[in-house]
Amino acid sequence: MIVAFASESLTVSTTSVSLSATVYQPAGAVPARQAFITIETNSIRYVLDGATPSPSNAILVGTSTSIRLSNLSDIGDFRAVRGSAPDAVIRVTYFR
């Protein structure tokens, strides 16, 4: 059974943001197996390959959109920048 164990809110601006490894992979504990991300304000562009997101290589998603990451690799490689001004806020819940 997969259960939620941690969450965080992140502000996404013009500099690439990744998810917090100290939250999804805490020392001495089982790491996250999934993450559920909700875009709470504005829009973001994101990638799952660890690259810096840009209009030419990233997926654009808007407010109230949800993204499910199904493995630790995607969680670690998630990067986002805001889609447009002002900054966006995302809420992430981690499961293991």
Side-chain angles (χ1 to χ4, degrees):
M1 180 162 89
I2 295 177
V3 295
F5 72 94
S7 63
E8 64 179 326
S9 287
L10 298 168
T11 298
V12 181
S13 190
T14 56
T15 303
S16 180
V17 171
S18 58
L19 304 179
S20 304
T22 56
V23 177
Y24 68 78
Q25 196 167 15
V30 176
R33 291 176 32 194
Q34 293 184 9
F36 190 76
I37 302 168
T38 302
I39 294 73
E40 294 187 334
T41 63
N42 209 349
S43 61
I44 67 166
R45 291 186 178 276
Y46 77 94
V47 296
L48 297 176
D49 61 3
T52 299
S54 70
S56 63
N57 74 343
I59 299 165
L60 176 66
V61 293
T63 304
S64 300
T65 301
S66 296
I67 303 164
R68 189 176 106 190
L69 306 178
S70 339
N71 59 62
L72 186 57
S73 178
D74 285 348
I75 294 168
D77 289 341
F78 177 88
R79 303 287 184 277
V81 294
R82 71 182 190 195
S84 61
D87 293 349
V89 174
I90 62 174
R91 180 78 178 159
V92 188
T93 303
Y94 299 101
F95 299 85
R96 62 175 167 216

